[in-house]
Amino acid sequence: MTNNLEGRDILHGAQFTRSELEQIMALTDDIRRRLEGERSLELLRGYVMGALFFEPSTRTRLSFEAAMHRMGGAVIGFASAGVSSSAKGESLADTIRTVDQYADVIVMRHPEIGSAAAAAEVAEAPIINGGDGAGQHPTQALLDLYTLRAELGGRIDGRTLALVGDLRHGRTVHAGVELYKHYDVELIFVAPEALRMPEEITRRLRQEGRTVTETTDLEVALRGADVVYMTRIQKERFADPAEYARLSGSYVLSRELIERTNPEVTVLHPLPRVDEIDTDVDPLPGAAYFRQAQNGMYVRMALLGLVLGVV
Ligand code: NCD
């Protein structure tokens, strides 16, 4: 199969074609199989990944780093803006221009919407957006899609997916809907009025022929869903702490609620969770969020291999 992703920036969920999504998922399966019983695949020996994280991260940064190491490559970077020269007043463009001299691919996370696209304007190396503020988080969407497929026995078409929580600020769901629209899935958006999915996204999905319903009621959505994708209320995006306090705790998925409404439901969450999934949900067979986090490394191995043109 031809590799259209070689040398490409990964900035937005909407950039992928259905066949690219299928290619990434098939390659992820392949890499996962090849890694069984091995410590690493040596496909990226000699390559360097820059990991520039201006915002907190556990899974995205560490799974990208683990992915690079397990492909035989090396990693440079920083895990907080405070230890980079941005703390001295350096512009993002100058930081990117500099790291571009050292790295073959750059993964970045930054609080501003559009920052990854701006970085891609100045970098020679491919830029991978690991989250730009309340904008996009395309690699999370890829691992969410991969997990959905794996958890649903390979068939995404015909399913109903409820996205729950802070749909206004949640970059994982903003990126996710751009991937789900390539499949025959029904979407239910569950959010408090103040945290609804941005209207331009909902309107466009409907114009493109997707079935989207909106509700504030988690219980109603749960009864009709095959998958429930929980998200955290994004505290750091609120200008007013009182508004956050009012909306935090809006939705809590409990074991009792699942057992009463839909015991078979698959539960995803990009993590970190705050209080939106009770820990007694964790042992349920449908609780897939830690498997989802594990899948992140394999999906990112596949993506690095494609972007760097070695697979
Ligand atoms: C998400 C993020 O950073 O957008 N986390 C992640 O990458 N797994 C979700 C979140 O922070 O709520």
Side-chain angles (χ1 to χ4, degrees):
M1 200 179 193
T2 54
N3 174 11
N4 292 327
L5 294 172
E6 181 173 355
R8 287 249 307 272
D9 302 305
I10 306 296
L11 302 177
H12 198 293
Q15 77 180 75
F16 298 105
T17 63
R18 164 99 180 218
S19 79
E20 285 165 359
L21 297 177
E22 299 291 331
Q23 183 180 27
I24 293 164
M25 291 195 285
L27 182 62
T28 302
D29 283 337
D30 182 48
I31 281 180
R32 194 177 187 133
R33 260 192 307 273
R34 284 159 66 189
L35 200 63
E36 257 167 45
E38 304 288 334
R39 310 302 326 169
S40 69
L41 305 174
E42 293 300 301
L43 295 168
L44 288 177
R45 166 131 337 264
Y47 285 87
V48 174
M49 179 185 87
L52 313 187
F53 279 70
F54 298 90
E55 263 197 345
S57 172
T58 297
R59 277 148 291 269
T60 302
R61 187 173 65 85
L62 296 182
S63 67
F64 259 116
E65 292 198 1
M68 196 63 187
H69 287 303
R70 291 198 187 275
M71 297 279 275
V75 179
I76 58 172
F78 48 81
S80 92
V83 297
S84 78
S85 281
S86 68
K88 302 180 191 170
E90 184 171 55
S91 69
L92 178 63
D94 284 1
T95 302
I96 294 293
R97 266 190 208 109
T98 304
V99 178
D100 201 28
Q101 313 304 312
Y102 311 143
D104 302 295
V105 58
I106 299 172
V107 180
M108 64 174 274
R109 169 172 288 187
H110 192 280
E112 267 173 59
I113 294 179
S115 50
E121 292 288 315
V122 298
E124 287 284 328
I127 296 286
I128 300 180
N129 180 7
D132 59 326
Q136 285 278 311
H137 192 351
T139 69
Q140 179 70 43
L142 290 170
L143 77 93
D144 294 343
L145 184 74
Y146 178 83
T147 305
L148 207 70
R149 190 188 67 147
E151 295 292 324
L152 295 174
R155 203 172 65 88
I156 299 172
D157 289 319
R159 310 296 188 144
T160 300
L161 178 54
L163 307 179
V164 184
D166 189 348
L167 307 186
R168 177 174 173 204
H169 303 111
R171 57 197 175 194
T172 73
V173 290
H174 297 169
V177 295
E178 305 294 349
L179 307 197
Y180 306 140
K181 75 180 187 200
H182 291 288
Y183 296 84
D184 178 25
V185 294
E186 286 194 29
L187 297 172
I188 308 175
F189 294 160
V190 187
E193 193 57 35
L195 300 179
R196 283 171 63 184
M197 182 68 83
E199 212 192 313
E200 65 271 17
I201 295 181
T202 309
R203 192 180 334 110
R204 186 166 44 74
L205 289 170
R206 287 184 175 138
Q207 275 164 1
E208 290 168 358
R210 309 322 314 175
T211 306
V212 181
T213 51
E214 291 188 274
T215 177
T216 55
D217 190 333
L218 174 58
E219 190 166 327
V220 167
L222 254 180
R223 289 184 192 279
D226 299 292
V227 178
V228 58
Y229 184 100
M230 300 297 296
T231 66
R232 171 178 75 85
I233 310 291
Q234 306 277 301
K235 184 177 185 180
E236 65 276 34
R237 310 282 175 234
F238 285 78
D240 176 6
E243 177 75 347
Y244 171 72
R246 183 175 76 78
L247 292 162
S248 68
S250 290
Y251 298 109
V252 177
L253 189 63
S254 67
R255 186 176 182 127
E256 182 276 322
L257 181 60
I258 291 174
E259 287 175 345
R260 183 160 50 79
T261 57
N262 189 351
E264 303 286 296
V265 73
T266 296
V267 183
L268 300 184
H269 192 310
L271 302 177
R273 77 174 138 192
V274 180
D275 56 5
E276 56 283 344
I277 303 179
D278 283 350
T279 52
D280 66 2
V281 173
D282 299 358
L284 295 180
Y289 27 94
F290 288 104
R291 293 192 288 278
Q292 186 181 357
Q294 183 194 50
N295 291 338
M297 183 184 80
Y298 297 115
V299 170
R300 287 167 173 136
M301 288 175 78
L303 196 61
L304 287 168
L306 285 166
V307 166
L308 291 169
V310 301
V311 289

